[in-house]
Amino acid sequence: MLKLQVEGNANQVQPFLMDLDRRPDLIVKKHENFIAGLQPDDKIAVTCYVDRSPNPRRRMRIAQLLCRDGVEIRIPLLDVMEVDMANGTRLIAGRSYDIFADKKKRAM
């Protein structure tokens, strides 16, 4: 387990801690959630305890897309991050690779 001290303005520390919580390969054991009551320019220091998850299954998720004609597309992704946008749209980002790709073509 790593002990991580985060210091800075509240409006910089809060997004950083939220990003840590969203990472599928990290487990944030403890951090104080008192940032909501602070002003954006307030200086704060937060201590986090972070573990890396060595389980590759935790890193992989399947994004499922349903087409209008009923066809379902399944895309395996690593290190997935999901964000619900304000207009009801969901943004899904992750890494994918093609195990059948020719190594010579990937080098280009």
Side-chain angles (χ1 to χ4, degrees):
M1 183 180 318
L2 298 173
K3 180 178 178 181
L4 180 64
Q5 176 88 15
V6 183
E7 298 178 8
N9 292 345
N11 64 346
Q12 294 172 324
V13 172
Q14 184 178 22
F16 179 78
L17 293 177
M18 290 172 62
D19 285 344
L20 280 182
D21 285 336
R22 288 187 192 121
R23 296 261 323 246
D25 61 327
L26 297 180
I27 301 169
V28 180
K29 295 286 187 180
K30 176 183 175 185
H31 68 78
E32 295 80 15
N33 195 8
F34 61 88
I35 299 173
L38 299 174
Q39 296 299 318
D41 292 332
D42 288 346
K43 299 283 186 191
I44 62 170
V46 179
T47 302
C48 300
Y49 300 91
V50 181
D51 262 344
R52 277 191 64 109
S53 174
N55 186 352
R57 290 178 187 235
R58 181 172 163 85
R59 291 183 61 198
M60 188 184 81
R61 292 181 42 201
I62 305 293
Q64 296 176 339
L65 306 173
L66 185 60
C67 299
R68 290 184 181 169
D69 60 359
V71 174
E72 184 179 289
I73 301 171
R74 297 170 54 90
I75 305 169
L77 295 170
L78 291 171
D79 301 329
V80 174
M81 291 179 51
E82 291 183 53
V83 178
D84 288 324
M85 305 303 281
N87 61 359
T89 303
R90 177 174 285 179
L91 175 66
I92 301 172
R95 295 185 306 142
S96 181
Y97 59 90
D98 184 357
I99 62 172
F100 300 108
D102 186 1
K103 289 181 183 180
K104 292 177 185 175
K105 289 182 182 178
R106 279 189 276 168
M108 291 182 186

